[in-house]
Amino acid sequence: MHMDFDELIKARQSCRKYDPEKVVAQADITASLEAARLAPSANNAQPFHFTVCTGETAKQVAVGVQTFGLNKFALDAGCFIVVSEGRYGLLGAAGSKIKRQDYRSVDIGLAVSYLTLKATTIGLATCILGGFDEKALQKLLGLKDRVRLVVVLGYAAEDYPIRPKKRKALDDLTDYR
Ligand SMILES: Cc1cc2nc3c(=O)[nH]c(=O)nc-3n(C[C@H](O)[C@H](O)[C@H](O)COP(=O)(O)O)c2cc1C
């Protein structure tokens, strides 16, 4: 599917109704992860790890992202990418201490942004999830590091529309000095 950048950022939306019958092809998962791999990160540290969950594991992840009645739609999705935080190397740790900044969540956000945009170009529907039971996911997947985000990958249900974006006005977000 060819989309220019403006079309792409309108087409990428949080999908909350998945077709439970359609399975995401491995090649499409790989292509989405490849895009994430090429995202920029502070000191090029790439402090993230992607745990791809399909099949029975996906069913358990879907349960692990149920919080406060949110994310019920995930129960129909067959593929989740659980993004955990990698450890900083020496340079990253020193840089972050000196600057009093922790760039790891920023880097994860950028990687997930690339991932979801690439996925959109190949016809996948996505939803970034920040609501999940971190301990349950760590235990399920044997992860020792912090889990920061979960990305749902799938196909939108047939009647699912592309919504117009609801965003703050640019004036409210911007200043020129
Ligand atoms: C860090 C982060 C966490 C999010 N967590 C959830 C979530 O747990 N459940 C959900 O349905 N949507 C979640 N979203 C999706 C946002 O609600 C969504 O991006 C926002 O409302 C804008 O809508 P759009 O993505 O359709 O353009 C999350 C998005 C981000 C970036």
Side-chain angles (χ1 to χ4, degrees):
M1 190 178 321
H2 179 78
M3 285 183 229
D4 74 22
F5 189 71
D6 290 340
E7 289 168 336
L8 174 58
I9 57 179
K10 282 183 191 144
R12 199 276 332 138
Q13 65 176 359
S14 298
C15 175
R16 300 194 179 91
K17 194 173 180 194
Y18 290 86
D19 183 337
E21 306 299 324
K22 289 194 189 153
V23 175
V24 181
Q26 178 59 53
D28 290 346
I29 299 172
T30 306
S32 304
L33 289 168
E34 268 298 339
R37 193 173 73 85
L38 297 187
S41 62
N43 290 313
N44 204 16
Q46 303 154 73
F48 30 69
H49 186 80
F50 305 102
T51 306
V52 180
C53 304
T54 57
E56 278 310 307
T57 311
K59 289 197 176 116
Q60 287 174 275
V61 172
V63 173
V65 300
Q66 301 304 311
T67 42
F68 303 111
L70 278 175
N71 300 336
K72 287 213 168 64
F73 61 87
L75 296 166
D76 281 332
C79 180
F80 296 85
I81 299 180
V82 175
V83 188
S84 51
E85 193 171 87
R87 305 213 176 126
Y88 260 154
L90 222 51
L91 193 62
S96 123
K97 196 160 186 199
I98 292 163
K99 294 284 179 202
R100 294 199 296 126
Q101 292 275 7
D102 190 324
Y103 299 108
R104 287 175 289 189
S105 285
V106 177
D107 296 337
I108 285 170
L110 286 163
V112 163
S113 180
Y114 275 42
L115 191 156
T116 53
L117 288 169
K118 176 64 190 185
T120 305
T121 68
I122 51 181
L124 295 178
T126 66
C127 191
I128 301 166
L129 305 180
F132 48 80
D133 181 339
E134 184 179 12
K135 286 223 161 63
L137 292 184
Q138 283 172 322
K139 187 162 180 239
L140 171 70
L141 304 170
L143 297 169
K144 292 198 170 57
D145 294 317
R146 298 293 312 266
V147 174
R148 293 295 185 191
L149 288 176
V150 175
V151 184
V152 188
L153 285 187
Y155 292 92
E158 211 151 274
D159 55 347
Y160 199 72
I162 295 203
R163 305 178 296 270
K165 297 281 177 226
K166 277 195 211 154
R167 297 293 190 260
K168 293 177 184 172
L170 193 54
D171 275 353
D172 297 334
L173 298 169
T174 318
D175 266 309
Y176 290 83
R177 298 280 157 87

